[in-house]
Amino acid sequence: MTDFPKRRMMTAALAATVAFAVGALAPGAGWTEEDYPTRPITMLIGYAAGGQTDLVGRGAARVLSHELGVPVNVVNRPGSGGLVATQALQRTQPDGYTILFQGHSVVNADPFLVAQVDFVPDDFEYAGMITAFQLGLATQRDAPFDTLAEFVEWARDNPGFVYGSLGPGARLYMEAIAEAEGLQANIIPLQGGGDMINALLGRQVVLAYSGGLHYRYPDEIKTIAVTTTYRHPSAPDVETINEQGYPLAMDTRTTLILPRGTPRAILERLSDALAAAQTDEEFQRITGSADIPIMYLDLDQAAEEVHRSYETNLAIFAAAGIEPR
């Protein structure tokens, strides 16, 4: 009985010590850049396991973990081409312990396609970009068409063909082409690059939008149009969608995205850690085996790219007469 007051005093002292320690590490309360991180980080990925974003994201998570000295745990949150994961990120605290690894099309393109999404670049913070997607329209190697013009001719004779879409942005291409050419297309959703590859190899679709993972299957899959502004290193002879008469080319890079209000010191720490992936041998092996170009941008360059591409894509959607729905 006589020990109770002493225990209460010890408990109160311990609680005060913990509170002081937590407060000392909190941003704005004596926190310094060197203090972050002090516990595991959760990395959200907006696609299912097995696709290009997941492949690169897990490689980046390993590099970040090594550089930061804490575990970086990958959590796949597939749905609507990354929108589900991005909306989940918005609900987290801006403390650097929940980050999103995602193509920045979720900010610079999807808001122009989905009425329920109103993201603008300033809704998030950006800690850097690491790879570029070799985005394109892919089909089976033995398909009877090699260009968009040949595909359109084939599609007119095969109404109701099936196209595989990885998200709202991927739908844009087929919807725009189908409307311009009077085609009848069935568009089915795919949950990630692995799902896309299976759909192509299993001949469940005749054409699919790919982030570049299909280049790992050169004997089974080919590209008929690249949807970036530049020709792909993996298929330099394949013309861009702009070159083929449809001005819809947009670029996407894998980006570390954080909640709005995340302190710059945290962004700098993550950006510096991500930079190490450029020379990391294992990361180079992973990206090289899938023909994924490494194109690092730091936090300021990444923010500039998001804002620039947002305005560019806005003009593309406006010119095409496409409105969110």
Side-chain angles (χ1 to χ4, degrees):
M1 297 291 291
T2 56
D3 289 339
F4 285 176
K6 184 182 295 185
R7 290 178 183 176
R8 283 197 294 267
M9 291 177 63
M10 292 176 63
T11 300
L14 178 60
T17 300
V18 171
F20 175 81
V22 171
L25 292 175
W31 182 89
T32 65
E33 178 182 348
E34 289 73 20
D35 293 322
Y36 172 85
T38 60
R39 55 187 171 86
I41 296 170
T42 296
M43 174 188 281
L44 301 177
I45 294 179
Y47 291 106
Q52 176 173 321
T53 304
D54 179 72
L55 179 74
V56 178
R58 289 178 184 275
R62 185 191 61 79
V63 174
L64 291 175
S65 180
H66 179 267
E67 294 295 314
L68 298 173
V70 298
V72 177
N73 302 314
V74 171
V75 176
N76 295 91
R77 292 288 296 273
S80 300
L83 293 177
V84 170
T86 307
Q87 290 170 331
L89 180 76
Q90 282 191 306
R91 297 190 293 269
T92 65
Q93 293 296 315
D95 57 9
Y97 289 100
T98 301
I99 62 180
L100 173 67
F101 189 86
Q102 190 73 24
H104 73 298
S105 60
V106 75
V107 177
N108 72 7
D110 291 352
F112 306 130
L113 294 164
V114 183
Q116 293 82 4
V117 176
D118 58 358
F119 301 147
V120 296
D122 288 338
D123 285 338
F124 303 97
E125 310 289 350
Y126 309 94
M129 298 177 170
I130 188 60
T131 60
F133 286 87
Q134 296 193 99
L135 306 166
L137 301 178
T139 187
Q140 293 83 18
R141 173 61 64 180
D142 59 0
F145 45 82
D146 294 309
T147 65
L148 273 179
E150 292 175 356
F151 166 75
V152 168
E153 183 179 353
W154 175 89
R156 288 196 177 109
D157 295 330
N158 294 270
F161 64 88
V162 182
Y163 169 79
S165 165
L166 287 173
R171 293 182 63 95
L172 158 71
Y173 296 101
M174 185 48 61
E175 289 178 343
I177 293 170
E179 181 175 354
E181 305 296 346
L183 307 180
Q184 297 178 30
N186 289 320
I187 302 177
I188 64 171
L190 303 173
Q191 293 300 314
D195 198 16
M196 179 271 300
I197 293 296
N198 290 335
L200 281 173
L201 296 182
R203 299 183 181 273
Q204 300 163 17
V205 301
V206 297
L207 193 67
Y209 179 85
S210 170
L213 190 64
H214 67 284
Y215 284 121
R216 297 179 67 181
Y217 305 84
D219 296 331
E220 295 90 5
I221 300 174
K222 64 184 177 183
T223 310
I224 67 167
V226 302
T227 58
T228 54
T229 59
Y230 52 87
R231 293 197 184 188
H232 294 171
S234 299
D237 295 331
V238 178
E239 293 183 333
T240 69
I241 196 168
N242 286 9
E243 291 175 314
Q244 298 192 51
Y246 303 91
L248 300 168
M250 292 178 279
D251 301 334
T252 300
R253 298 169 182 260
T254 51
T255 308
L256 278 185
I257 306 175
L258 287 91
R260 180 179 180 178
T262 302
R264 181 176 176 87
I266 291 178
L267 301 177
E268 290 176 344
R269 185 82 171 92
L270 289 167
S271 182
D272 291 344
L274 185 65
Q278 297 176 95
T279 55
D280 183 85
E281 292 184 1
E282 178 63 14
F283 189 79
Q284 291 178 333
R285 185 192 66 77
I286 291 171
T287 54
S289 66
D291 291 317
I292 301 171
I294 298 176
M295 298 181 181
Y296 171 75
L297 297 180
D298 65 24
L299 73 164
D300 293 318
Q301 293 169 326
E304 181 180 352
E305 168 61 19
V306 174
H307 284 81
R308 181 203 63 78
S309 59
Y310 181 90
E311 296 299 329
T312 298
N313 294 351
L314 174 61
I316 290 175
F317 285 105
I322 297 171
E323 296 182 356
R325 63 187 187 187

